[in-house]
Amino acid sequence: MKQPHVKRVRDLVDGVLLLDKPVGLSSNDALIKAKRVLNAKKAGHTGTLDPFATGLLPLCFGEATKFSQDLLEADKTYETTVHLGISTNTGDTEGEAIATRDVHVTRAQIEAVLAQFRGPIMQVPPMYSALKRDGKAYYEYAREGITLEREARPVTIYTLEFVAYEAPFLKLLVTCSKGTYIRVLGEDIGNALGCGAHLNALRRIQVGALTVDGMVTLETLQANAAPLSMLAPVDALLSSFPAVQLTDELAKRFLNGQRLALGKEDVAVPEQQGRVRVYHGAALLGTAILQEFSILAPERLIAFKPA
């Protein structure tokens, strides 16, 4: 007799896992594997890494998912290797070579070209991307042999540093705004050098204020007898924001969604207006916007009630 299917009971897990994503795994597949190990009920990632890319993939669990949008908007830093002389249809090692050219470039020529891509630039999104048109991802059109017209979008390259050049491999360090495609940047640099290019390797080393410090692999997570101990607290996502500490009574009012006039209270108030993280003792209550006249307006609240 066939046994009835028993639905797995997931745990309420809160925190952030700084995952070192391996080559060959999609961001979503990495999330599913980590979620299974932690037996977590709710989880999400903070911006995809292509399967061929490695490095920092912050995974949010439980209450941390409320703040994942901040990392989607955050600047990111990458180490990348550009293979000059060969262009592929995907802009990386996963695609097929579509053009091969000789490479005769000097360090001076490379530096001159890199200077063209620093600061605000316009970038055309690649066909092999998850962007959608009419409900269908670009990469689905690309796999059908269809190329769509794409409008260039503004992005900012804050840092574009020459690291090393051992022909035909050019190593770079890039810090960029959200929405930047490093694959496209590599292709554009290759085209500007007159030889074409694709990305040979890509590793993300920073997302907002989060760095590779404390990063763990899936293998390490799976081998740990207490995998929950590898999670960073929810407020690891918010470390760049000033902190506001509330009294018992103010904390209760804050969690009820009330705006607070902190100028009338015995509370230390940051000098700058803007987003802040709010605490009652050691407990994170959520985020708020500190407005003019020291008005604290609740933004995203943690599902927590102080004792």
Side-chain angles (χ1 to χ4, degrees):
M1 182 177 177
K2 187 176 181 180
Q3 295 294 322
H5 176 70
V6 179
K7 189 173 182 179
R8 183 175 183 176
V9 178
R10 299 281 185 175
D11 297 328
L12 294 175
V13 174
D14 298 319
V16 181
L17 181 70
L18 303 183
L19 183 69
D20 186 354
K21 191 192 81 66
V23 170
L25 208 60
S26 73
S27 296
N28 198 53
D29 286 342
L31 174 65
I32 291 171
K33 287 178 180 292
K35 184 179 178 183
R36 186 177 298 125
V37 173
L38 297 170
N39 197 41
K41 187 174 183 179
K42 185 178 183 182
H45 59 67
T46 55
T48 59
L49 275 175
D50 290 333
F52 90 101
T54 67
L56 183 58
L57 180 66
L59 302 180
C60 298
F61 297 89
E63 292 297 297
T65 60
K66 294 179 177 178
F67 309 102
S68 60
Q69 185 64 34
D70 295 317
L71 290 191
L72 291 172
E73 304 286 327
D75 299 334
K76 299 170 179 68
T77 300
Y78 299 88
E79 297 171 338
T80 187
T81 301
V82 182
H83 187 161
L84 300 178
I86 300 177
S87 301
T88 69
N89 60 348
T90 60
D92 58 35
T93 57
E94 296 191 309
E96 299 177 358
I98 54 176
T100 302
R101 283 177 273 183
D102 292 334
V103 180
H104 302 289
V105 297
T106 65
R107 167 75 181 267
Q109 289 173 321
I110 291 171
E111 292 284 12
V113 163
L114 294 183
Q116 301 172 22
F117 291 94
R118 296 188 183 109
I121 64 171
M122 299 299 290
Q123 190 179 75
V124 178
M127 276 303 302
Y128 280 88
S129 70
L131 295 176
K132 292 186 177 182
R133 182 174 299 180
D134 299 327
K136 186 174 178 179
Y138 279 11
Y139 66 80
E140 294 180 273
Y141 289 104
R143 288 170 180 170
E144 295 171 3
I146 300 171
T147 300
L148 303 175
E149 287 292 326
R150 286 105 61 209
E151 289 187 10
R153 305 186 305 176
V155 298
T156 302
I157 308 299
Y158 299 105
T159 301
L160 182 55
E161 294 182 9
F162 176 98
V163 175
Y165 178 55
E166 297 179 10
F169 299 107
L170 172 61
K171 293 185 178 182
L172 303 170
L173 179 69
V174 185
T175 300
C176 56
S177 64
K178 69 167 185 173
T180 303
Y181 286 92
I182 307 299
R183 281 181 290 142
V184 174
L185 180 63
E187 289 179 308
D188 289 345
I189 289 170
N191 290 334
L193 287 169
C195 58
H198 71 277
L199 287 198
N200 176 264
L202 180 64
R203 182 167 180 79
R204 188 158 67 192
I205 59 173
Q206 187 162 351
V207 179
L210 300 177
T211 68
V212 295
D213 293 338
M215 202 165 55
V216 301
T217 64
L218 278 173
E219 289 77 13
T220 301
L221 183 70
Q222 291 164 340
N224 195 307
L228 291 178
S229 66
M230 310 198 82
L231 290 178
V234 172
D235 58 359
L237 299 175
L238 309 171
S239 61
S240 62
F241 303 135
V244 173
Q245 186 70 236
L246 298 182
T247 62
D248 292 356
E249 180 58 33
L250 290 177
K252 292 176 183 178
R253 289 167 56 192
F254 179 81
L255 287 172
N256 285 326
Q258 294 182 28
R259 288 156 55 94
L260 306 176
L262 297 185
K264 301 177 181 179
E265 306 289 345
D266 186 21
V267 171
V269 181
E271 293 183 4
Q272 297 293 325
Q273 296 179 25
R275 180 173 289 152
V276 295
R277 49 196 165 113
V278 183
Y279 292 86
H280 175 244
L284 175 70
L285 306 184
T287 57
I289 304 299
L290 185 62
Q291 301 174 336
E292 194 176 11
F293 307 117
S294 297
I295 300 298
L296 190 70
E299 185 189 34
R300 300 179 194 133
L301 305 181
I302 290 288
F304 164 84
K305 299 294 181 183

